[in-house]
């Protein structure tokens, strides 16, 4: 059994995407774009929080 690409696995398992909500290819592309944007924003927030915590530990 092969492993899914981590981004698609996260969107499917952790964001609850089991089916697309919209129909037609342009609408599905838009939906995938929004999901990708949300995934990347959450990833950036997590990285920023981790870096902020590392800076806080260096100062203290």
């Amino acid at each position: 059994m092969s492993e899914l690409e981590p981004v698609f696995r996260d969107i499917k398992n952790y964001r609850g995407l089991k089916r697309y909500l919209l129909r037609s290819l342009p609408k599905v592309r838009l939906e995938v774009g929004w999901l990708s944007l949300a995934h990347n924003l959450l990833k950036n927030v997590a990285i920023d929080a981790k870096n902020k915590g590392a800076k806080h530990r260096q100062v203290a």
Side-chain angles (χ1 to χ4, degrees):
M1 184 172 173
S2 64
E3 184 175 331
L4 290 173
E5 189 171 335
V7 173
F8 297 125
R9 181 195 64 214
D10 291 346
I11 289 173
K12 186 175 179 181
N13 291 334
Y14 303 129
R15 305 282 173 246
L17 177 70
K18 300 296 180 192
R19 291 183 170 188
Y20 293 108
L21 300 173
L22 305 172
R23 295 182 189 256
S24 83
L25 189 56
K27 291 178 183 178
V28 169
R29 284 183 180 159
L30 181 66
E31 189 174 353
V32 169
W34 281 112
L35 289 166
S36 300
L37 178 68
H39 176 80
N40 288 332
L41 287 173
L42 289 169
K43 194 162 100 174
N44 284 341
V45 167
I47 290 170
D48 288 344
K50 183 178 177 182
N51 289 339
K52 187 176 181 182
K55 287 180 184 177
H56 185 322
R57 281 182 248 142
Q58 287 176 348
V59 173

